[in-house]
Amino acid sequence: LYTTPRAQKLRPRLLDEFRRVDDVVGEMVERASDDDTIMVVSDHGFGITEGFFNANTWLLRQGLLAVKPLPYIRARLFHFAHQLGDRAFVRNALPESIQSAVRGSIRKTRSTFHSARNDLERVIDWANTKAFFGSIPCQGIYINEKTDTNPRGAVDSSDVEPLKYSIREKLLTVKHPVSGEELADAVWFREEVFHGDQTQFAPHLVFKMKNYSVLGRQHLGSRSYYSSTQHLPIGFHRSNGMIMLRNRNVKPGSMKAEMADVMPTALYSAGLAVPDGLDGRVLLELFDEDHIRANPVRHLFREKTESSSDQREISIYDKSEQQELEDRLRSLGYLE
């Protein structure tokens, strides 16, 4: 949408913001001494979103998800009104202030895990639902397994594995409604992607479609399992991010790294000890050999109590700092 009228209006403002960020980085570089380390880090890359995979609509058609009739009709009507608002003649007829207010209202109610759960709670008939898509950040499908903590589950534990394989096989055959190409690049079981004691909260199946240019979403109400977003200026994350370091002890050049390596490398470059139990490692290849010999990696081992399985948590923030951190995360939609 580079040449659209809206882009022509937005571009000068975007360039101005990029200059502001560049000025801030430049000021940091000017103020830094040769012993200071400057790091520029992204937790992901970015790219265009070409379409939405309406996963719950697809699951509904597969007979794996059930809905409550009246709330589902309301969802259908809301989706129709939302689509109507995207039409060119409607956008041209309504003032930009009204369009912006409507977009903001929709975004507030549908951008977090909590709001997505509320949407699904109103519409889904859980007692007859075997699988569902949770929210955009999840990018995966949960099996509605019946357990002690989930009495509304519709799938016995013995049936979870065969259902997972069945859903994966079907996802890999989903086609783009126009091009006929397969949408899914890959579908993984959660155990193939995650590890650790939090894996149990991840979706049972995680998928990637067209290098994340086709994005799974939870909305129920669309007539089709695929919605094009070619007319919208939106994007989503990509797997490749970046890390840049500037310090007199950092060697010039480039290398590949993993996201988990950023934290231990940042701690090491700041002269701090690296806690045990981290997944990543210090990227020693970035530093010259004299610096490494003079500053070997120091490890910080967590203090254990009398019980070997019980580890004492030490907070590094006071109450006001903790509250400020929570407020920032809440403003970004990560906390409710």
Side-chain angles (χ1 to χ4, degrees):
L1 305 179
Y2 188 83
T3 59
T4 61
R6 176 175 290 186
Q8 294 175 19
K9 292 181 181 179
L10 288 175
R11 191 170 300 112
R13 300 183 187 181
L14 292 172
L15 291 176
D16 185 55
E17 291 304 313
F18 292 154
R19 292 186 186 100
R20 289 172 184 262
V21 174
D22 190 60
D23 288 343
V24 171
V25 175
E27 183 178 345
M28 290 174 59
V29 172
E30 290 177 359
R31 293 189 178 194
S33 71
D34 291 339
D35 293 323
D36 294 327
T37 299
I38 295 177
M39 300 182 68
V40 178
V41 180
S42 74
D43 57 335
H44 54 76
F46 218 78
I48 190 174
T49 296
E50 297 179 359
F52 284 126
F53 172 60
N54 300 309
N56 284 329
T57 297
W58 180 79
L59 289 168
L60 179 64
R61 291 190 174 185
Q62 301 299 314
L64 298 172
L65 183 144
V67 295
K68 303 170 188 174
L70 185 56
Y72 180 61
I73 291 173
R74 290 173 179 164
R76 289 287 298 272
L77 291 173
F78 177 88
H79 185 80
F80 174 76
H82 191 203
Q83 279 190 316
L84 187 63
D86 283 337
R87 301 289 176 84
F89 74 90
V90 175
R91 292 201 303 269
N92 293 333
L94 289 177
E96 177 59 31
S97 59
I98 296 179
Q99 296 182 50
S100 178
V102 172
R103 287 194 298 268
S105 178
I106 292 172
R107 191 177 296 114
K108 277 191 218 176
T109 59
R110 294 174 176 269
S111 61
T112 65
F113 294 102
H114 181 70
S115 57
R117 184 175 68 244
N118 286 344
D119 284 347
L120 300 182
E121 281 288 342
R122 285 192 290 266
V123 182
I124 291 181
D125 174 7
W126 294 105
N128 295 298
T129 290
K130 295 183 178 180
F132 66 96
F133 180 94
S135 66
I136 287 179
C138 296
Q139 288 305 294
I141 292 174
Y142 290 89
I143 304 298
N144 189 23
E145 181 180 2
K146 187 173 184 178
T147 64
D148 293 339
T149 57
N150 183 32
R152 296 187 302 176
V155 180
D156 293 332
S157 298
S158 59
D159 295 327
V160 170
E161 284 298 309
L163 182 56
K164 282 167 48 180
Y165 279 93
S166 174
I167 293 175
R168 181 167 73 171
E169 183 178 347
K170 291 177 180 178
L171 277 173
L172 290 171
T173 63
V174 175
K175 300 290 195 300
H176 189 289
V178 177
S179 68
E181 297 177 346
E182 293 177 348
L183 286 181
D185 298 328
V187 181
W188 302 279
F189 297 144
R190 63 186 178 190
E191 295 81 10
E192 298 176 280
V193 179
F194 306 105
H195 65 276
D197 57 5
Q198 301 301 301
T199 300
Q200 60 179 315
F201 301 113
H204 290 78
L205 300 106
V206 181
F207 55 76
K208 179 178 72 168
M209 293 186 167
K210 296 297 181 185
N211 191 30
Y212 299 110
S213 67
V214 174
L215 190 60
R217 68 172 177 176
Q218 76 276 359
H219 299 337
L220 274 161
S222 173
R223 293 176 60 88
S224 172
Y225 64 80
Y226 182 84
S227 299
S228 173
T229 58
Q230 295 282 6
H231 61 295
L232 299 174
I234 59 175
F236 193 67
H237 304 171
R238 295 294 188 272
S239 297
N240 292 329
M242 68 174 184
I243 172 174
M244 299 188 292
L245 280 80
R246 180 184 183 273
N247 182 291
R248 66 177 180 177
N249 300 306
V250 173
K251 297 185 294 187
S254 62
M255 63 172 292
K256 291 184 178 181
E258 297 294 330
M259 185 169 64
D261 300 332
V262 173
M263 180 180 177
T265 301
L267 292 172
Y268 173 75
S269 66
L272 301 174
V274 179
D276 68 319
L278 297 182
D279 294 332
R281 66 182 183 87
V282 177
L283 298 171
L284 292 175
E285 302 94 318
L286 298 175
F287 303 90
D288 61 50
E289 295 180 0
D290 290 340
H291 177 75
I292 296 174
R293 281 195 293 268
N295 301 276
V297 178
R298 295 184 296 116
H299 292 278
L300 177 66
F301 297 97
R302 286 173 291 183
E303 183 181 356
K304 294 186 178 182
T305 59
E306 294 180 0
S307 172
S308 60
S309 61
D310 181 23
Q311 296 180 339
R312 184 180 305 167
E313 294 185 1
I314 304 174
S315 176
I316 62 174
Y317 302 108
D318 60 30
K319 289 185 178 180
S320 62
E321 291 172 329
Q322 181 74 19
Q323 185 62 50
E324 181 182 359
L325 180 62
E326 291 181 3
D327 290 343
R328 290 185 179 183
L329 291 173
R330 189 171 291 107
S331 69
L332 294 171
Y334 291 114
L335 293 178
E336 291 295 339

